[in-house]
Every structure is written in C-alpha cells, then in structure tokens.
Amino acid sequence: MSVEPTDEDCIFCRIVAGEIPSRTVHETENVLAFLDANPLAPGHTLVIPKAHHETLADTPEELASEVFSVLYGLTPIVEETIDADASNVAFNNGEAAGQEIPHLHGHVIPRFEDDGGNPIHAIVGSRPDLSDDELDDIAERISANHQT
Ligand code: AMP
Ligand code: ZN
C-alpha cells in the first residue's frame, strides 16, 4: 500500500498508509477492514474508509455506502470464521457517543450465547420518558428535515 496518510496525526490514516501495522482482513480501493487491536471478542473487526472523515455526516455518501457494503459482506464471514452466534455491528458516531479515534469506523463484534455481554440498548445510561405527543413531534421534525 502506498496511500499517503490523509491526516498524519490519525492512527487509522497511518494504518492505511502502512506506517502502523494492522491485521488486514479485507481491502478494496477505498475501504480497509482489519482486526481491532484491543478486541471485545475474537474476530472484532473495524471497517474504515481509507480517506479521513470523522463521522458519518462528514463522509461522502458514496464512500459511506462502500463502508456499509464491506460491513454487509464481511459480517457473516467474521461470524462464520469465529463460530459466533451473532454480532453487534455499530458505529460510535462522534465523540459524545464514545468515538475515541476520529476516523469513521464500523465495529463488527462477534457475540456468543453465553458471553455475558449486553445489547445495544445498554449503551445509554437511562432512557428518556417521552410522551406520545413528544414522540409524534420528534418523528414529524425528523421527517420534515429529511425532506428539505
Ligand atoms: P472507538 O471507541 O469507536 O473510536 O473505537 C476505536 C477502536 O480502535 C478501539 O476498539 C481500539 O481498540 C481500536 N484501536 C486503537 N488503535 C488501534 C490500532 N492501532 N489497530 C487496531 N485497532 C485499534
Ligand atoms: Zn484518519
């Protein structure tokens, strides 16, 4: 690989550039998938765009689609290889959501019936108590914004 790092200070850009080693499991022209160096489960894999973009909103749609396409193809292969029962596929999308490395990455985390882990519902400390009117209002506002 001879891609120049987009951001010299970014660990994942430096992995893309070959300056930091990674256990690559899949590569396309614009996307790289490699094992997480501090895995939550065997086979924990990260899928990144090679170009530096911090969040989904920062990433061009076509490139984000390529990341999702690799996630789609790789997830069942990771599960099968590790003999997992399931997986969580998720993005920490922004610092407030727990993103520590500001280069977009999707996690594939293999799961097992008896692994003692939690579902994605456990990522927030407490649920908001929203009335039906508030839920209706939120749905209307998101829908309206999506159409603009
Ligand atoms: P996040 O909290 O979503 O930003 O996750 C960052 C992930 O990157 C963590 O799961 C780390 O274990 C992982 N990580 C950090 N440095 C490396 C590296 N050099 N190679 C592979 N994975 C890494
Ligand atoms: Zn980067």
Side-chain angles (χ1 to χ4, degrees):
M1 255 183 304
S2 61
V3 182
E4 286 297 311
T6 322
D7 181 339
E8 271 292 350
D9 296 328
C10 172
I11 292 174
F12 288 174
C13 283
R14 296 186 66 197
I15 285 177
V16 170
E19 294 176 6
I20 294 177
S22 71
R23 293 184 175 87
T24 299
V25 298
H26 187 68
E27 182 172 7
T28 67
E29 186 185 352
N30 299 311
V31 176
L32 187 68
F34 53 92
L35 293 188
D36 193 296
N38 189 19
L40 296 173
H44 183 172
T45 298
L46 302 176
V47 178
I48 70 168
K50 289 183 179 175
H52 184 91
H53 301 282
E54 183 165 345
T55 64
L56 278 172
D58 298 325
T59 307
E61 183 174 358
E62 202 171 308
L63 182 55
S65 297
E66 287 186 52
V67 170
F68 276 92
S69 174
V70 171
L71 283 166
Y72 176 81
L74 205 52
T75 297
I77 292 169
V78 170
E79 286 186 16
E80 193 184 321
T81 305
I82 302 300
D83 205 16
D85 299 310
S87 58
N88 291 108
V89 180
F91 292 75
N92 291 324
N93 190 35
E95 196 176 351
Q99 184 176 0
E100 290 181 354
I101 298 191
H103 182 133
L104 184 73
H105 51 283
H107 293 257
V108 179
I109 305 169
R111 298 295 305 271
F112 303 87
E113 296 291 354
D114 57 355
D115 66 14
N118 291 302
I120 207 160
H121 300 87
I123 58 178
V124 169
S126 62
R127 293 179 190 225
D129 187 16
L130 297 169
S131 67
D132 282 347
D133 283 348
E134 286 169 316
L135 290 168
D136 289 344
D137 176 59
I138 290 166
E140 276 165 27
R141 286 191 289 126
I142 292 172
S143 175
N145 271 339
H146 193 260
Q147 283 154 22
T148 56

